[in-house]
Amino acid sequence: MKSRAWSLMLVALLLVECASGEDPYRFYTWNVTYGDIYPLGVKQQGILINGQFPGPQIDSVTNDNLIINVYNSLDEPFLFSWNGVQQRRNSWQDGVYGTNCPIPPGQNFTYVLQVKDQIGSYFYFPSLAFHKAAGGYGGIKIASRSVIPVPFSPPAGDFTVLVGDWFKQNHTDLKSILDSGNNLPFPDGLVINGLSANSFTFTVDQGKTYRFRISNVGLTTSVNFRIQGHKMILVEVEGTHTLQNTYDSLDIHLGQSYSVLVTADQPPQDYFITASTRFTSPVLTSTSVLHYSNSAGSVSGPPPGGPTTEVDWSLSQARSIRKNLTASGPRPNPQGSYHYGLINTTRTIRLANSAPVINGKQRYAVNGVSFIPADTPLKLADYFNIPGVFTLGSIPDNPSGSGGYLQTSVMAADFRGFVEVVFENSEDSVQSWHVDGHHFFVVGLNGGEWSPASRETYNLRDTVARSTVQVYPSSWTAVYMPLDNVGMWNIRSENWARQYLGQQFYLRVYSPANSWRDEYPIPSNALRCGQAVGH
């Protein structure tokens, strides 16, 4: 009888748990290996996931739990990071060296993360040791829950487009160039989904509408994306439903992701899908093919041309991208109900990029500080109170105006603050900035120097919220950012050479409550390295 009573109690508990509606789980097992790839027609050593380059796509729904078991079959340590996934209360899973110990060769690690309160288009990538130059990246799709209305009809298909510049040299050679204190050479080409020169085909049915999720996964250059003879309706930017403006082409800067709707409304044949570099000389171009299933002919003629060096054109387009205030987000309430423009900011942080030479080597810096990794992930050092790994306040809130110096730079911030961040770029190249663990509202972009008077030009009503933003040459970009996610978060250049040589730092968002409500406890499988070994 006692045994039966326990059985009935167990069944009752399981029924209660099921009734509570726990969010679904999705399980992935990935084996990371080296393998031969031919992105530009030349054999290279690439990073494959389950034998694939690009890697498998993650298809998920808002609030899904993702269990990703990664086997590192490389001969060196390895980490994945998840560009744009906010890791709510869970910087333990962010997958950059400031938060995680690398997965040792021959071992595995299981990421346990949740796409909490998010929708949209993102990507994952290798974050360590310049591995990003060898591939190892893939798309992430977070669909809305079925009960949440989406502001457009379901498309007939959903395509992921991973575009970026590429080098014929292996990632180890590129890393050696940077380690020796030199700049990278100009890229050798562009690839679309790991291929170039019409090697990838997207098949559509005439008269139907398709969604294209486009991410710039490159290392050093912005790109312009267009489809021959077709218009693109922008519908989403890194989790924000946008006003559905129509574009002939889109500038997509490093680390950014966009979703567009394309209707196959042209005569049945094949059309060029074209990507080209922006603000470069020479201009690199790559193509793939939009293939009508009833096509009467192959692609012909030159690929459609696009903008090249025109900054004003790109700036105007950026300003035209606005939030759809009538659309619902991942929760059943309009996105516009969050009136970011009516909230008083608690702090202003000005961040200026620079390219100092330090100890005879080329470095890159933020507010004069060029980041160097510590021997222990900063998140572990913070959690275990390990002294000497980093110092809060080791990067100033404002440009120093002096030359650069090396430091493991960490900025302190208070949980639930609402900060104004101004990215200032006095250099002659476009910059691209990403903030892990957060979204921000892009309230202003303009040329010249930023001043408090610049706030008069801010868009305080319907700008987009995103996690990656560009800063044009001799210009500034201002964002409002809610500090609503406790943890140790990477703020970095998405130009991977600049990131690798120091143009990054960490923001420690702190809550004194020490509560699971604010941050999850350290995972039971968290790896230890450096001074965290034995803790």
Coordinates of all heavy atoms in Angstrom, one line a residue, residues 335-370:
Q335 N 5.0 46.2 -28.6 CA 6.4 46.6 -28.2 C 6.4 48.1 -27.8 O 7.2 48.5 -27.0 CB 7.3 46.4 -29.5 CG 7.5 45.0 -29.8 CD 8.4 44.8 -31.0 OE1 8.8 43.7 -31.3 NE2 8.7 45.8 -31.8
G336 N 5.6 48.9 -28.4 CA 5.6 50.3 -28.2 C 5.1 50.7 -26.8 O 5.2 51.8 -26.4
S337 N 4.7 49.7 -26.0 CA 4.2 50.0 -24.6 C 5.4 50.3 -23.7 O 5.2 50.8 -22.6 CB 3.4 48.8 -24.0 OG 4.2 47.7 -23.9
Y338 N 6.6 50.0 -24.2 CA 7.8 50.3 -23.4 C 8.3 51.7 -23.9 O 9.0 51.8 -24.9 CB 8.9 49.3 -23.6 CG 10.1 49.5 -22.7 CD1 10.0 49.7 -21.4 CD2 11.4 49.5 -23.3 CE1 11.1 49.9 -20.6 CE2 12.5 49.7 -22.5 CZ 12.4 49.9 -21.1 OH 13.5 50.1 -20.4
H339 N 7.9 52.7 -23.2 CA 8.2 54.1 -23.6 C 9.6 54.5 -23.2 O 9.8 55.3 -22.2 CB 7.2 55.1 -23.1 CG 5.8 54.8 -23.6 ND1 5.5 54.9 -24.9 CD2 4.7 54.4 -23.0 CE1 4.2 54.6 -25.1 NE2 3.7 54.3 -23.9
Y340 N 10.6 54.0 -23.9 CA 12.0 54.3 -23.6 C 12.3 55.8 -23.5 O 13.2 56.2 -22.7 CB 12.9 53.6 -24.5 CG 12.9 54.2 -25.9 CD1 13.8 55.2 -26.3 CD2 12.0 53.7 -26.9 CE1 13.7 55.7 -27.6 CE2 11.9 54.3 -28.1 CZ 12.8 55.2 -28.5 OH 12.7 55.8 -29.8
G341 N 11.6 56.6 -24.3 CA 11.9 58.0 -24.4 C 11.4 58.8 -23.2 O 11.8 60.0 -23.1
L342 N 10.6 58.2 -22.3 CA 10.1 58.9 -21.2 C 10.8 58.5 -19.9 O 10.5 59.0 -18.8 CB 8.6 58.6 -21.0 CG 7.7 58.9 -22.2 CD1 6.3 58.5 -21.9 CD2 7.8 60.4 -22.5
I343 N 11.9 57.7 -20.0 CA 12.6 57.2 -18.8 C 13.9 58.1 -18.7 O 14.6 58.3 -19.6 CB 13.0 55.8 -19.0 CG1 11.7 54.9 -19.1 CG2 13.8 55.3 -17.7 CD1 12.0 53.5 -19.5
N344 N 14.1 58.6 -17.5 CA 15.3 59.4 -17.2 C 16.5 58.5 -17.2 O 16.5 57.4 -16.5 CB 15.2 60.1 -15.9 CG 14.1 61.2 -15.9 OD1 13.9 61.8 -17.0 ND2 13.5 61.4 -14.8
T345 N 17.6 58.8 -17.9 CA 18.8 58.1 -17.9 C 19.5 58.3 -16.5 O 19.5 59.4 -16.0 CB 19.7 58.4 -19.0 OG1 20.0 59.8 -19.0 CG2 19.1 58.0 -20.3
T346 N 20.2 57.3 -16.0 CA 20.9 57.4 -14.8 C 22.4 57.6 -14.9 O 23.1 57.9 -13.9 CB 20.7 56.1 -14.0 OG1 21.1 55.0 -14.8 CG2 19.2 55.9 -13.6
R347 N 22.9 57.6 -16.2 CA 24.3 57.7 -16.4 C 24.6 57.8 -17.9 O 23.9 57.3 -18.7 CB 25.0 56.4 -15.8 CG 26.5 56.3 -16.0 CD 26.9 54.9 -15.4 NE 28.3 54.6 -15.5 CZ 28.8 53.5 -15.2 NH1 28.1 52.5 -14.6 NH2 30.1 53.2 -15.3
T348 N 25.6 58.6 -18.2 CA 26.1 58.7 -19.6 C 27.5 58.1 -19.7 O 28.4 58.4 -18.9 CB 26.1 60.1 -20.1 OG1 24.8 60.6 -20.1 CG2 26.7 60.2 -21.5
I349 N 27.6 57.2 -20.6 CA 28.9 56.5 -20.9 C 29.3 56.9 -22.3 O 28.6 56.5 -23.3 CB 28.9 55.0 -20.7 CG1 28.4 54.7 -19.3 CG2 30.2 54.4 -21.0 CD1 28.1 53.2 -19.1
R350 N 30.5 57.5 -22.5 CA 31.0 57.8 -23.9 C 32.1 56.8 -24.2 O 33.1 56.7 -23.4 CB 31.4 59.2 -23.9 CG 30.3 60.2 -23.8 CD 30.8 61.6 -23.6 NE 31.8 62.0 -24.6 CZ 32.8 62.9 -24.5 NH1 33.0 63.4 -23.3 NH2 33.6 63.1 -25.5
L351 N 32.0 56.1 -25.3 CA 33.0 55.1 -25.7 C 33.6 55.5 -27.0 O 32.9 55.6 -28.0 CB 32.4 53.8 -25.8 CG 31.7 53.2 -24.5 CD1 31.0 51.9 -24.8 CD2 32.7 53.1 -23.4
A352 N 34.9 55.8 -27.0 CA 35.6 56.2 -28.2 C 36.6 55.1 -28.6 O 37.4 54.6 -27.8 CB 36.4 57.5 -28.0
N353 N 36.6 54.7 -29.9 CA 37.5 53.7 -30.4 C 38.8 54.4 -30.9 O 38.8 55.6 -31.3 CB 36.9 52.9 -31.6 CG 36.2 53.8 -32.6 OD1 35.1 54.1 -32.5 ND2 37.0 54.2 -33.6
S354 N 39.9 53.7 -30.8 CA 41.2 54.2 -31.3 C 42.1 53.1 -31.7 O 41.8 51.9 -31.4 CB 41.8 55.1 -30.2 OG 42.1 54.3 -29.1
A355 N 43.2 53.4 -32.4 CA 44.1 52.4 -32.9 C 45.5 52.7 -32.5 O 46.3 53.0 -33.3 CB 43.9 52.3 -34.4
P356 N 45.8 52.6 -31.2 CA 47.2 53.0 -30.8 C 48.2 51.9 -31.1 O 47.8 50.7 -31.2 CB 47.0 53.1 -29.3 CG 45.9 52.2 -28.9 CD 45.0 52.2 -30.1
V357 N 49.4 52.3 -31.2 CA 50.5 51.4 -31.3 C 51.1 51.3 -29.8 O 51.5 52.3 -29.3 CB 51.6 51.8 -32.3 CG1 52.8 50.9 -32.2 CG2 51.0 51.8 -33.7
I358 N 51.1 50.1 -29.3 CA 51.6 49.9 -27.9 C 52.7 48.9 -27.9 O 52.6 47.8 -28.4 CB 50.4 49.4 -27.0 CG1 49.2 50.4 -27.0 CG2 50.9 49.2 -25.6 CD1 48.0 49.9 -26.3
N359 N 53.8 49.2 -27.3 CA 55.0 48.4 -27.3 C 55.4 47.9 -28.7 O 55.8 46.8 -28.9 CB 54.8 47.2 -26.4 CG 54.5 47.5 -24.9 OD1 55.0 48.5 -24.4 ND2 53.6 46.7 -24.3
G360 N 55.3 48.9 -29.6 CA 55.7 48.6 -31.0 C 54.7 47.7 -31.8 O 55.1 47.4 -32.9
K361 N 53.6 47.5 -31.3 CA 52.6 46.6 -32.0 C 51.3 47.3 -32.1 O 50.9 48.1 -31.3 CB 52.4 45.3 -31.2 CG 53.6 44.4 -31.2 CD 53.3 43.0 -30.6 CE 54.5 42.1 -30.7 NZ 54.2 40.7 -30.1
Q362 N 50.6 47.0 -33.3 CA 49.3 47.6 -33.5 C 48.3 47.0 -32.5 O 48.2 45.8 -32.3 CB 48.8 47.2 -34.9 CG 47.4 47.7 -35.2 CD 47.3 49.3 -35.2 OE1 47.9 49.9 -36.1 NE2 46.6 49.8 -34.3
R363 N 47.6 47.9 -31.8 CA 46.5 47.5 -30.9 C 45.3 48.3 -31.2 O 45.4 49.3 -32.0 CB 46.9 47.6 -29.4 CG 48.1 46.8 -29.0 CD 47.8 45.4 -28.8 NE 46.7 45.2 -27.8 CZ 46.3 44.0 -27.4 NH1 46.8 42.9 -27.9 NH2 45.3 43.8 -26.5
Y364 N 44.2 48.0 -30.6 CA 42.9 48.7 -30.7 C 42.4 48.9 -29.3 O 42.6 48.1 -28.4 CB 41.9 48.1 -31.6 CG 42.4 47.9 -33.1 CD1 43.0 46.8 -33.5 CD2 42.4 49.0 -33.9 CE1 43.5 46.7 -34.8 CE2 42.9 48.9 -35.2 CZ 43.5 47.7 -35.6 OH 44.0 47.7 -36.9
A365 N 41.7 50.1 -29.1 CA 41.4 50.4 -27.7 C 40.0 51.0 -27.6 O 39.4 51.5 -28.6 CB 42.4 51.4 -27.2
V366 N 39.4 51.1 -26.4 CA 38.2 51.8 -26.1 C 38.6 52.7 -24.9 O 39.1 52.3 -23.9 CB 37.1 50.8 -25.6 CG1 35.8 51.6 -25.4 CG2 36.9 49.6 -26.5
N367 N 38.3 54.0 -25.1 CA 38.7 55.1 -24.2 C 40.1 54.9 -23.7 O 40.5 55.1 -22.5 CB 37.7 55.0 -23.0 CG 36.4 55.6 -23.3 OD1 36.1 56.0 -24.4 ND2 35.4 55.5 -22.4
G368 N 41.0 54.6 -24.7 CA 42.4 54.5 -24.4 C 42.9 53.2 -23.8 O 44.1 53.0 -23.6
V369 N 42.0 52.3 -23.5 CA 42.3 51.0 -22.9 C 42.2 49.9 -23.9 O 41.1 49.7 -24.5 CB 41.4 50.7 -21.6 CG1 41.9 49.4 -20.9 CG2 41.3 51.9 -20.7
S370 N 43.3 49.1 -24.1 CA 43.3 48.0 -24.9 C 43.2 46.7 -24.1 O 44.1 46.4 -23.3 CB 44.6 48.0 -25.8 OG 44.6 46.9 -26.7

